[in-house]
Amino acid sequence: MRALPILLAGALALMAAACDRGAAPDKAPSATAFRHDLPEDVSGYYIPTTAVQVGDWRLHHLFMGQVPDFIAWRDGARTAGFAPIMMEFEAGDSKRRTRLVPTAYEVTEDRVRFEASSRELGAVSFEGALDQDALATARRNLGDQGVVLKGRLKVGDRTFDGVSMRWWAGD
């Protein structure tokens, strides 16, 4: 009879763990999957200059945090639903959004590489060039229509070349 409560407790623990799988990958990527080399602050929202649509989902923005956010994430200090670089898509009804936290990233002063996966979109990756001069101008002007980030976005089996983004500080 003593084995029954132990088995029940074990089964409940396994069920709880299975429910949490949506919040984090089954196996955490190594710290080397998360690299940055940022002598400058690149934090802000990077918003597409033209719509990028995949089925019912539209790319809303790419977010990048401050250097301490990258350091904390790389070193394993992670909060559910937040990362130093994230991508967010919005459904056509504007009521649903999906936020993608990275499975890997590399961010330098002139390059951005981001990889993630979601139930709604499958594998998602972005690789682009960051224009520091355009970013400095946008930051001085508290946002600008000029392109500061340009690259290739892959969502599932779709590839979008020449995705251009402008910078916005946020609210």
Side-chain angles (χ1 to χ4, degrees), residues 18-62:
C19 291
D20 287 340
R21 283 192 181 146
D26 290 338
K27 183 179 177 187
S30 69
T32 58
F34 305 115
R35 293 185 297 215
H36 71 278
D37 182 10
L38 292 170
E40 302 291 328
D41 181 18
V42 297
S43 63
Y45 293 84
Y46 294 79
I47 301 169
T49 58
T50 59
V52 179
Q53 190 85 25
V54 179
D56 193 37
W57 295 93
R58 176 182 61 85
L59 174 60
H60 191 268
H61 68 267
L62 173 78

Side-chain angles (χ1 to χ4, degrees), residues 42-47 60-64 86 99 148 165-171:
V42 297
S43 63
Y45 293 84
Y46 294 79
I47 301 169
H60 191 268
H61 68 267
L62 173 78
F63 165 82
M64 286 195 277
M86 301 179 288
R99 177 181 291 175
V148 299
M165 298 183 200
R166 64 184 176 85
W167 178 86
W168 179 58
D171 290 335

Side-chain angles (χ1 to χ4, degrees), residues 127-167:
E127 189 160 341
L130 185 58
D131 183 333
Q132 284 292 332
D133 291 336
L135 180 58
T137 299
R139 291 175 76 93
R140 274 193 308 277
N141 295 330
L142 300 177
D144 187 56
Q145 296 303 312
V147 173
V148 299
L149 181 61
K150 187 173 187 176
R152 172 180 288 159
L153 174 69
K154 292 182 181 179
V155 180
D157 61 357
R158 301 267 318 265
T159 299
F160 301 88
D161 287 315
V163 174
S164 299
M165 298 183 200
R166 64 184 176 85
W167 178 86

Side-chain angles (χ1 to χ4, degrees), residues 70-92:
F70 283 94
I71 292 169
W73 182 271
R74 180 201 62 206
D75 293 346
R78 305 204 176 129
T79 304
F82 178 80
I85 181 170
M86 301 179 288
M87 192 171 277
E88 193 161 294
F89 286 81
E90 181 177 65

Side-chain angles (χ1 to χ4, degrees), residues 101-133:
V101 296
T103 54
Y105 66 74
E106 182 174 7
V107 180
T108 67
E109 66 182 317
D110 61 355
R111 303 289 307 159
V112 174
R113 184 181 59 80
F114 172 87
E115 296 175 15
S117 182
S118 82
R119 254 182 315 226
E120 297 85 0
L121 298 162
V124 176
S125 67
F126 177 79
E127 189 160 341
L130 185 58
D131 183 333
Q132 284 292 332
D133 291 336

